[in-house]
Each structure stands twice: as structure tokens, then as C-alpha cells.
Amino acid sequence: MNQNSLSKVQRLKEVLLINLLGELPTIAFGPSLRKLLYRFIFAKIDNSVYIQNGVEFIGTNQIKIGSYVHIFKGARIDAKGENNKITLEKGVALEKDVTIGALDNTCVQIGEGTFIGPGVCIAGPGDITIGKRCLIAAHAGIFSNNHNFADPTKYIVDQGITRQGITIEDDCWIGHNVTVLDGVTIGEGSVIGAGAVVSKNIPPYSIAVGVPAKVIKKRDAKELVFNYQSSNE
């Protein structure tokens, strides 16, 4: 069987299982049946995963889901395309209506214990890495590509894209309705205020606000020590 035929068989299994089980509510043992039977179509899915009804998956053979991951109603995870990889590590939570899309040659990795709020959009093409224990508030947008538009004689859609990738390091808090643009690294422990547009790198332990986002303050040593002690109590 050639690669194209294998892909069609995989997609058929995916459609059948997700259509059969995807809308089963908790009262009908939906989460239990999904974590039991979805293992036949996913690249990896651990036993302790909770997937609510109404979650859409595409390209499941390129999606890995770790233990204690929670995915809530209305989420859409699309890994369809060439050489894609979407990984949700242990303890990740995707709230209602989160969208993750890879397109082609894209790796999206969300680190252990990270919370993704309602309506967040995480979109390739272009690699996206989100670290451990991050908080991504509702309706944030993380977009790892840019459209070329220099030639006014051509449609923008025909001019191609650039893709540098995005990294959000461990322990960041991304506020409500923040937009993170391609090529950006947000340093560990940083806080991005609501509504900001992040178009340049943010150093570790910074507080940044505005359009475009600018660092207005560093998280000082006393606060960092307090947070560290509190997390270990």
C-alpha cells in the first residue's frame, strides 16, 4: 500500500471514530470511550486524558497528547499537512473554542501544565513553542507567519509568506486579547498586558504593555523570591 493510500485509510478511520465518539456527552461515558478508542488514530494519547464532547481533530496521526491533558468543548486541533507535529505535554488545558493549526512543516509544542484560555488562536505555518506553566488568557492570538505584500500589482495571497517561528518561554502570563507576531521570543517569567501587540523580543522577567508592546518594568528580585517560595509551600 502506497503512502497516499495509507493517508486515505488513516483519514477514514479518523473521520469514523471522531464522528462516532466526538459528540458523546459525559453522561454516556464519552470521555472514557474517547481516551480508549482514540489511541488507534493518534500518534500518542495517554490514558488519563479528558476530551469533552464537541472537540474537532484533523491529522490525528501527527498529534501527541500527554497525561492529564484536558480539552474542552469547541476546541479544534488541525495537524493536517506535510511533516507537522502538534504536542500537548502533561497537564495542558485547552479551554472552549481554542484553535490550533499547523499547515505544513510546522511543529507546535505546548509545555507541561500550561493553560490556554477560551477562544485562543495558535496558528502556523511556522514553529511555535510555548513553555511550561504558562497562562495564555482568553482570545489571545499567536501567529507564526507573515504575508508578503510589497508588490501592489499582485494579490497579497499570491505573494507568499515568511515564517520565523515563535517561542514563549516557561512561566509567562499572556493577557487577554494579546497578539504575538512571528519571529518573537518572550523571555521566561514575563507578563504581557491585555491588548498588547508583541512584535519584538521581550527579555526574561519583563512586564510589557501597549501597541507595539514595550517593557515598562522588570519583575524585581523580591517578587521573584516571593513567587518561588509560594510555589514550593
Side-chain angles (χ1 to χ4, degrees):
M1 189 177 289
N2 62 35
Q3 188 62 40
N4 189 48
S5 297
L6 285 171
S7 178
K8 288 180 179 178
V9 170
Q10 165 65 23
R11 181 57 182 156
L12 178 60
K13 289 193 297 183
E14 180 179 276
V15 169
L16 288 174
L17 273 178
I18 291 174
N19 284 341
L20 180 64
L21 303 174
E23 295 297 335
L24 286 178
T26 302
I27 197 171
F29 304 104
S32 297
L33 288 170
R34 282 187 280 273
K35 70 183 179 184
L36 177 65
L37 296 177
Y38 278 5
R39 69 181 65 184
F40 295 107
I41 56 172
F42 279 78
K44 174 189 173 184
I45 186 166
D46 281 356
N47 290 331
S48 51
V49 167
Y50 176 85
I51 301 173
Q52 208 169 46
N53 56 302
V55 175
E56 182 181 5
F57 295 100
I58 303 172
T60 50
N61 62 323
Q62 300 183 107
I63 300 172
K64 295 183 178 181
I65 302 179
S67 57
Y68 303 106
V69 168
H70 285 62
I71 306 176
F72 293 95
K73 188 179 295 186
R76 184 178 192 270
I77 303 177
D78 183 356
K80 183 180 179 183
E82 295 293 328
N83 302 315
N84 290 326
K85 182 180 180 182
I86 295 177
T87 302
L88 309 179
E89 295 185 359
K90 179 181 178 181
V92 166
L94 304 184
E95 266 288 358
K96 291 182 65 176
D97 301 322
V98 168
T99 300
I100 301 175
L103 294 181
D104 288 325
N105 300 299
T106 297
C107 177
V108 177
Q109 182 160 350
I110 301 178
E112 182 175 334
T114 284
F115 172 84
I116 309 292
V120 169
C121 181
I122 299 171
D127 294 343
I128 299 170
T129 301
I130 301 175
K132 297 178 182 178
R133 303 297 299 274
C134 290
L135 300 168
I136 314 293
H139 303 295
I142 301 169
F143 306 109
S144 63
N145 65 81
N146 273 310
H147 287 277
N148 298 320
F149 56 88
D151 187 347
T153 67
K154 296 182 180 179
Y155 291 114
I156 293 172
V157 73
D158 295 329
Q159 295 187 50
I161 62 169
T162 60
R163 41 188 285 178
Q164 300 175 63
I166 291 171
T167 298
I168 300 174
E169 295 181 347
D170 297 348
D171 189 33
C172 289
W173 176 19
I174 310 299
H176 177 268
N177 206 37
V178 166
T179 301
V180 182
L181 299 179
D182 191 34
V184 162
T185 294
I186 298 177
E188 180 177 0
S190 291
V191 176
I192 310 299
V197 176
V198 185
S199 57
K200 294 182 179 179
N201 293 344
I202 303 295
Y205 301 105
S206 298
I207 299 172
V209 300
V211 181
K214 294 182 179 179
V215 176
I216 59 167
K217 184 179 178 182
K218 297 289 286 186
R219 296 176 63 198
D220 63 33
K222 289 182 180 178
E223 184 177 355
L224 292 178
V225 169
F226 174 77
N227 286 343
Y228 177 80
Q229 290 174 339
S230 297
S231 67
N232 284 275
E233 288 177 352

